[in-house]
Amino acid sequence: MTLVDSPATVIGGPALSQKRRLVTAIPGPRSQELMARKAEAVAAGVGTTIPVSVVAAGGGVLVDADGNSLIDLGSGIAVTGVGNANPRVVEAVTAQLNAFTHTCFTVAPYDSYVAVAERLNQLTPGDHVKRSALFNSGAEAVENAVKIARHHTKRQAVVAFDHAYHGRTNLTMGLTAKNIPYKSGFGPFASEVYRAPLSYPYRDGGLSGADAAARAILQIEKQVGAENLAAVIIEPIQGEGGFIVPAEGFLPALVKWANENDVVFIADEVQTGFGRTGAWFASEHEGIVPDLVVTAKGIAGGLPLSAVTGRAEIMDSAMAGGLGGTYGGNPLACAAALAAIESYEADGLIERAREIGAVLIGRLNALRTGDARIGDVRGRGAMVAIELVHPETGEPDARLTADVAAYAHANGVLVLTCGTYGNVIRFLPPLTISDELLTEALGVVADALRAE
Ligand code: PLZ
């Protein structure tokens, strides 16, 4: 039986009922206790979205220490696509734990690292010869993609886009657009990073994809020069920046220009990858073939793993020893990735992402019809968002957004916000969520909008 037929088969704990259930206020007493300890022990810069103490998670719910069961519309920021404690992942990681936990692949290699590379080479867009290298976090993989592109092209400049998010390390902070909270006070940032305008259909007056690409390319040519440019890096659908789907034609035009100018085109599929958008990778929706693809998050069912996959001639440019790290491609994470990939395939989860998308888009568009504060509904597959605005002016409404999220949290639905202007609510459920839970959660969001 597939998970699509019976979402209950992916429940993480033995008796994790797939229900929203509140037995205390959020946070309950045990969660409050944890938050008090956190305040004393954990650096203030490490924030939290919802003040709970999680003890179990699976299917479409998170259970807290007070016995509350919350509907999960965040998947740990698009990580647990295969569901929390996915049985295939648990089994594979447990077996690996009992065999060996670490040798460092660059010291004494093992099968699963190579197997993950083989799977990535098959699954990412394009049928050219590919190589992969594995790392720990999305940011680390982005850094390595840029390293590789610079080494290959012998050029230095990198272009990222408005509203981009690529991570929190020094280079990736520089690539990231938004100042607060990601960058403010954390400079100086790496040099040779330039920014280009994005295609943002809701806010750029409906500029066509071709025109938006021409605008970006003109700026790159005038301000940077292709001869200095190692790479352009872009999220095919922006994540933290506001779930912005560029106008059709924007991405293909950029890829064409990059190819013609020997500029490495890097797709940051950290948030969009692994079935999230209803395809293995979001690049597929417009048929683009990036030179390098950066993946993380959904790759390994919650274990820390990331990768750069791309054209062999680019990936092989760095000398042996030039790429690596102590933990990159750790055996536990690789075992998890192989099991997660199996789950996406065997359990029909990519198809499920499209079904989830249809439910989300349908319900949210219906809400929008009667509510002018919902300026836009957008996304693909199980990566969907609403942008909230002041109806008279179209100005972003960050206050309403925060209030709707707070109402949802208080009522047992974990939603995340995003966007340069903090006015986007994003829906990123595990692909193992049931339609019932999803519909109930959207009902709570509708109540929240009614209450404000
Ligand atoms: N590229 C497209 O979405 C991570 C960040 C949350 P790491 N997004 C969630 C936060 O507040 O830190 C992300 C992404 C894209 C790169 C990254 C970075 O991935 O695994 O967080 O380093």
Side-chain angles (χ1 to χ4, degrees):
M1 190 193 300
T2 70
L3 301 184
V4 177
D5 295 329
S6 175
T9 57
V10 291
I11 293 169
L16 216 47
S17 114
Q18 296 296 296
K19 291 256 178 304
R20 178 171 64 113
R21 187 184 62 239
L22 292 182
V23 294
T24 69
I26 303 286
R30 295 201 173 174
S31 290
Q32 283 178 32
E33 236 170 74
L34 182 70
M35 296 316 287
R37 277 171 49 212
K38 172 185 178 286
E40 290 300 318
V42 179
V46 182
T48 50
T49 299
I50 187 166
V52 295
S53 174
V54 175
V55 294
V61 299
L62 298 168
V63 177
D64 77 9
D66 297 292
N68 298 299
S69 176
L70 316 175
I71 303 176
D72 180 11
L73 297 187
S75 304
I77 322 188
V79 170
T80 52
V82 296
N84 243 297
N86 176 294
R88 293 177 199 270
V89 173
V90 171
E91 196 187 322
V93 175
T94 306
Q96 183 60 49
L97 263 172
N98 287 314
F100 65 98
T101 49
H102 175 85
T103 59
C104 187
F105 184 79
T106 58
V107 174
Y110 38 87
D111 190 288
S112 57
Y113 185 116
V114 178
V116 170
E118 288 167 347
R119 296 307 326 263
L120 286 167
N121 296 349
Q122 291 159 357
L123 293 172
T124 49
D127 49 16
H128 48 282
V129 182
K130 295 176 205 156
R131 306 273 188 268
S132 289
L134 306 185
F135 305 97
N136 300 286
S137 66
E140 190 188 1
V142 168
E143 291 247 359
N144 275 280
V146 172
K147 267 171 75 170
I148 292 164
R150 284 177 167 158
H151 201 282
H152 170 73
T153 58
K154 302 184 175 58
R155 302 173 183 168
Q156 295 185 347
V158 183
V159 162
F161 286 80
D162 286 336
H163 313 286
Y165 183 92
H166 297 292
R168 294 177 180 274
T169 57
N170 187 264
L171 174 62
T172 60
M173 265 194 298
L175 295 169
T176 291
K178 191 173 177 175
N179 179 38
I180 291 178
Y182 303 126
K183 302 169 77 165
S184 189
F186 294 135
F189 304 112
S191 59
E192 289 304 317
V193 172
Y194 300 88
R195 198 160 304 286
L198 186 75
S199 163
Y200 188 165
Y202 179 62
R203 293 206 170 269
D204 64 13
L207 206 58
S208 73
D211 287 348
R215 178 178 68 174
I217 289 166
L218 183 69
Q219 182 167 319
I220 295 168
E221 285 179 339
K222 294 301 167 205
Q223 297 186 11
V224 187
E227 69 278 18
N228 301 307
L229 187 55
V232 293
I233 180 163
I234 190 164
E235 302 151 81
I237 299 175
Q238 282 191 331
E240 306 304 307
F243 279 31
I244 303 165
V245 186
E248 201 185 323
F250 179 74
L251 293 170
L254 283 181
V255 172
K256 181 167 180 284
W257 179 85
N259 291 346
E260 287 166 359
N261 289 279
D262 298 319
V263 170
V264 177
F265 185 93
I266 305 173
D268 179 345
E269 293 246 18
V270 168
Q271 192 152 161
T272 50
F274 288 94
R276 175 56 53 188
T277 67
W280 275 108
F281 297 97
S283 295
E284 293 168 40
H285 297 293
E286 286 205 69
I288 62 166
V289 178
D291 297 313
L292 302 181
V293 178
V294 181
T295 53
K297 291 192 187 278
I299 191 173
L303 274 82
L305 186 72
S306 63
V308 183
T309 301
R311 294 186 190 282
E313 64 275 20
I314 301 176
M315 293 295 296
D316 280 342
S317 121
M319 78 239 69
L323 304 175
T326 306
Y327 292 114
N330 168 274
L332 299 171
C334 287
L338 294 172
I341 291 169
E342 183 184 298
S343 182
Y344 287 115
E345 281 175 336
D347 300 326
L349 293 179
I350 298 179
E351 163 70 13
R352 180 67 191 141
R354 290 196 285 270
E355 291 171 8
I356 288 171
V359 173
L360 285 169
I361 296 271
R363 300 272 304 190
L364 293 168
N365 268 332
L367 269 182
R368 182 185 179 209
T369 308
D371 189 342
R373 297 169 302 171
I374 303 179
D376 197 19
V377 176
R378 59 179 179 248
R380 286 190 203 274
M383 183 173 186
V384 169
I386 52 176
E387 178 158 351
L388 298 180
V389 298
H390 295 282
E392 318 75 46
T393 60
E395 289 295 305
D397 194 341
R399 193 199 53 78
L400 174 64
T401 307
D403 289 349
V404 168
Y407 180 102
H409 297 165
N411 287 280
V413 176
L414 175 50
V415 292
L416 303 173
T417 61
C418 65
T420 295
Y421 314 108
N423 69 323
V424 177
I425 295 183
R426 53 177 154 170
F427 302 95
L428 281 171
L431 307 179
T432 53
I433 198 170
S434 65
D435 279 353
E436 296 70 38
L437 276 183
L438 189 60
T439 308
E440 185 178 346
L442 290 172
V444 171
V445 172
D447 291 345
L449 280 161
R450 227 171 285 126
E452 297 308 323

